[in-house]
Amino acid sequence: AGTGRAPWTRRTRPKREQRAMERDPCPHRILDDLGGAFAMGAIGGTVWHSVAGARNSPSGERLAGSLYAVRARAPVLGGNFAVWGGLFSTFDCALVAMRGKEDPWNAIVSGAATGYVLAARGGWRAASRSAAVGGVLLAMIEGLNHFLLRLAPQAPPPSMPPPQAPAAAYAPPAGALGVAARQQLVNEPVLSGATADASDVLMQDKWK
């Protein structure tokens, strides 16, 4: 209201802003990424360690070895994924709060910072290599997302309804809204005074 612009002529948001708006707000985003990363790591670890446990077990005990490997290693892998996802989302939300906007640079810097923190116990050289790997990996992911968004078909703009003329410009058709009755009254001949008096006398004689 107050912009003087019709609803169908408003500009749509860019795809980058739409993708940012689809994500959860920052306080809830951390918990969401924690749970999603843990589930991803646990499911992937279950598949991987079930096969590895069956291959490394002797014949006749492959099923038991597979189940043992899944119980022992899948939750650990899920926890590692959860730590990575939680740190990444924490850095991402911190950058959003400091910069006041969401763009691919937040994800790239967050990936580098996450890699550095996770490898900090190995020294600054190992942490720097891990940060470089994290930054490059996130840069590739963001570049691929940007490329896919550009290839995706854009939603067509909403069609503009046809202009409507004001109600006063429409004339009612013949025979509607009493037009025919008024026209009939206009077309009837007007009786003169003498003819009216003669018709009154005839009516009086008739009733006598």
Side-chain angles (χ1 to χ4, degrees):
T3 58
R5 183 182 295 174
W8 56 83
T9 59
R10 294 176 183 172
R11 293 181 300 175
T12 57
R13 292 180 179 271
K15 291 182 178 181
R16 184 180 300 172
E17 295 184 8
Q18 291 178 357
R19 183 168 61 90
M21 291 180 63
E22 291 175 358
R23 302 185 64 185
D24 293 334
C26 257
H28 305 284
R29 185 185 305 176
I30 299 175
L31 297 177
D32 183 47
D33 288 348
L34 274 171
F38 179 82
M40 185 184 302
I43 294 173
T46 299
V47 175
W48 176 264
H49 290 293
S50 63
V51 176
R55 291 184 60 185
N56 296 329
S57 299
S59 178
E61 297 182 359
R62 297 188 185 278
L63 180 60
S66 176
L67 294 177
Y68 177 79
V70 169
R71 289 197 304 268
R73 303 301 303 171
V76 176
L77 187 60
N80 293 336
F81 271 67
V83 171
W84 199 96
L87 284 175
F88 176 81
S89 297
T90 301
F91 285 122
D92 191 15
C93 289
L95 289 173
V96 170
M98 288 187 298
R99 301 181 66 216
K101 61 180 179 179
E102 292 197 26
D103 55 8
W105 287 110
N106 290 344
I108 296 173
V109 175
S110 298
T114 301
Y116 188 92
V117 170
L118 291 178
R121 296 178 60 183
W124 67 271
R125 291 184 178 178
S128 299
R129 288 194 297 267
S130 180
V133 171
V136 171
L137 180 62
L138 265 297
M140 293 174 60
I141 293 175
E142 290 296 325
L144 180 61
N145 288 336
H146 181 70
F147 179 73
L148 293 177
L149 287 176
R150 292 187 61 182
L151 291 182
Q154 298 183 358
S159 58
M160 185 173 59
Q164 297 181 358
Y170 289 101
L177 302 177
V179 175
R182 290 196 298 269
Q183 186 177 3
Q184 183 178 1
L185 292 176
V186 173
N187 294 335
E188 289 181 353
V190 180
L191 299 178
S192 61
T195 307
D197 294 339
S199 60
D200 292 340
V201 172
L202 291 176
M203 291 296 294
Q204 292 177 1
D205 294 340
K206 181 178 179 182
W207 286 105
K208 289 180 181 180

